[in-house]
Amino acid sequence: MNDMLPGMPTRLFVATPTKLLNFADCKRKYRYTYLETPRPPKGPPWAHNTVGAVLHESLAEFWRWPASRRTTVEAVGKLRTSWRHEGFRDERQSLDWRERSVEMLSTYLHQIDPYFEPRGVERTVAFTTERASLRGRVDRIDERPARDGNGGTELAIVDYKTGRRPLTSTDARSSLAMALYVLGARRVLHRPCTRVELHHLPTNTIAAADHDDASLARHQRRAESIADDAAAAETRWREGLTPAEADEVFPPEPSALCGWCDFARICPQGRRVAPPRDPWAALEDPEAVTTPDVAEAG
């Protein structure tokens, strides 16, 4: 960076997959989320995020309990007592989705061995490249018998999904986040890892894929390319930008996703393409654009 002494190594750009994808999707949203101080006001909370968050929290809690406590009854009771009402149209809709979430959780746990011990739950993994420090929090990391038949073990990255759309192996293989989690798990846990799995709770299905060195290298190059662009834009921001320059460096990128953006109500370009959606719309509209399950911390 410009403020570093000659000969010193370049400061690594620190990012999560969510941060990188926010920059790739819409640079104005990135600016509002990570750079503006104070941050512009966000819209109301999303009901689909509430559903996703409570289910994720319930599963994380399930695995943290001792095996003797890991029962469906216990997990369902915990979900009901920790339910939140943010984003729903009214109490009736909220309670309806609480029971739908109970059903999803019960169905999923029916196939789970309570005595299995994951290698990590809500585990942060990280690795560095020559240009970036990348990290993220993984829903679950399993250590399983290696499939090569040599008697060792290997890791599998597990991500819970609660969106409406059923998922495929292509979704698992093309996910930038999942590939970066593989690289991070290898670095932190020092075990072989190629397997990524999207556990789709609404359909109780698993979309799985295996990475190889070539596919991981492609994802790493993509992450580094986004990180380079984001780092350059942040440098411009720190040097000081007029409002017009800020819009040039961090332009809006209108698309059908704009209706789901937290900042839709203050972005005229986005509103022209897709009016802001009701906070509960993703739970009711079968034609709803696929939305993120839960925003990753960081």
Side-chain angles (χ1 to χ4, degrees):
M1 302 296 179
N2 293 338
D3 59 346
M4 299 191 70
L5 296 175
M8 292 186 66
T10 301
R11 182 182 298 124
L12 297 178
F13 183 76
V14 179
T16 64
T18 297
K19 186 175 182 180
L20 295 177
L21 292 173
N22 272 337
F23 188 85
D25 289 341
C26 180
K27 294 171 182 58
R28 172 174 285 178
K29 179 181 178 181
Y30 181 94
R31 167 185 149 199
Y32 286 165
T33 302
Y34 298 103
L35 301 179
E36 289 274 13
T37 304
R39 183 161 63 180
K42 298 170 67 173
W46 299 99
H48 64 270
N49 278 349
T50 298
V51 172
V54 174
L55 280 165
H56 278 72
E57 292 162 9
S58 297
L59 285 164
E61 190 76 8
F62 175 86
W63 289 114
R64 293 187 182 112
W65 291 335
S68 60
R69 189 182 170 188
R70 292 176 191 159
T71 67
T72 300
V73 171
E74 186 88 9
V76 163
K78 177 66 176 177
L79 184 150
R80 284 200 169 106
T81 58
S82 61
W83 188 253
R84 300 191 291 274
H85 299 281
E86 289 93 344
F88 295 96
R89 183 183 57 244
D90 51 34
E91 184 178 10
R92 180 177 178 180
Q93 187 191 47
S94 175
L95 294 178
D96 174 54
W97 275 93
R98 184 188 68 179
E99 295 313 301
R100 293 194 197 191
S101 298
V102 162
E103 182 178 355
M104 281 188 264
L105 182 64
S106 300
T107 302
Y108 181 74
L109 291 180
H110 181 72
Q111 65 192 5
I112 293 295
D113 176 6
Y115 290 93
F116 175 76
E117 294 294 343
R119 183 65 184 271
V121 174
E122 296 286 340
R123 176 65 186 265
T124 297
V125 297
F127 70 103
T128 59
T129 74
E130 291 183 355
R131 309 197 303 272
S133 175
L134 303 172
R135 64 194 63 213
R137 191 175 61 206
V138 187
D139 290 343
R140 197 174 92 212
I141 303 174
D142 290 353
E143 186 165 6
R144 305 170 181 172
R147 289 165 292 164
D148 59 13
N150 291 331
T153 62
E154 62 185 5
L155 304 177
I157 303 298
V158 173
D159 196 48
Y160 306 122
K161 294 296 182 183
T162 58
R164 299 180 66 99
R165 182 175 65 86
L167 301 170
T168 68
S169 60
T170 300
D171 294 307
R173 186 177 296 106
S174 63
S175 168
L176 176 67
M178 296 292 274
L180 298 183
Y181 295 156
V182 167
L183 292 168
R186 287 179 173 184
R187 184 69 57 86
V188 171
L189 298 175
H190 307 289
R191 300 298 304 158
C193 184
T194 61
R195 184 80 165 179
V196 292
E197 294 181 356
L198 302 176
H199 290 207
H200 189 239
L201 302 184
T203 58
N204 194 32
T205 57
I206 296 175
D210 283 289
H211 281 290
D212 55 24
D213 289 343
S215 64
L216 291 171
R218 286 195 297 272
H219 280 292
Q220 180 174 317
R221 286 195 298 271
R222 182 187 177 205
E224 289 179 314
S225 176
I226 298 171
D228 287 346
D229 291 343
E234 287 199 14
T235 297
R236 293 283 308 278
W237 176 265
R238 288 192 295 271
E239 291 171 349
L241 298 173
T242 67
E245 290 170 336
D247 283 341
E248 180 182 348
V249 176
F250 298 94
E253 301 183 39
S255 74
L257 289 173
C258 288
W260 304 104
C261 179
D262 287 332
F263 303 105
R265 288 162 178 78
I266 59 171
C267 180
Q269 293 90 342
R271 289 200 308 274
R272 283 197 291 269
V273 172
R277 306 298 297 264
D278 289 323
W280 58 85
L283 302 179
E284 291 192 332
D285 184 358
E287 302 300 323
V289 173
T290 300
T291 55
D293 291 294
V294 186
E296 178 192 347

